[in-house]
Amino acid sequence: MSREFLWGALAATSSVAGLFFLRFWRTTQDRFFLLFALAFAVFALHWTGLAVLDVSDESRHYLYVVRLLAF
């Protein structure tokens, strides 16, 4: 399997998890669920960026700044 395929699968599952928490936020209006939904959306952007952008190993660490925002 290629890395791009696995990164795409991670982006898809992160998006699904984000939508799952967004649905719970809409029913409960609890800020905790909204923050989880936003974190998973940022994770999905990170995995998509790794899959789409052709970055070298030396500059890949710049994409992890996006992942830091999720935490």
Side-chain angles (χ1 to χ4, degrees):
M1 287 187 166
S2 67
R3 289 185 302 186
E4 289 82 10
F5 175 77
L6 292 175
W7 287 333
L10 284 169
T13 55
S14 294
S15 298
V16 168
L19 290 174
F20 183 73
F21 282 113
L22 191 63
R23 186 184 74 170
F24 280 121
W25 173 74
R26 290 187 65 190
T27 58
T28 64
Q29 295 296 315
D30 189 6
R31 183 178 51 180
F32 186 70
F33 290 128
L34 180 63
L35 293 175
F36 265 121
L38 290 174
F40 277 107
V42 171
F43 282 144
L45 286 174
H46 172 257
W47 293 120
T48 303
L50 280 175
V52 171
L53 299 175
D54 187 25
V55 293
S56 64
D57 288 335
E58 292 84 20
S59 63
R60 188 177 298 169
H61 66 277
Y62 292 121
L63 282 174
Y64 282 93
V65 173
V66 175
R67 193 171 183 179
L68 182 64
L69 291 174
F71 289 110

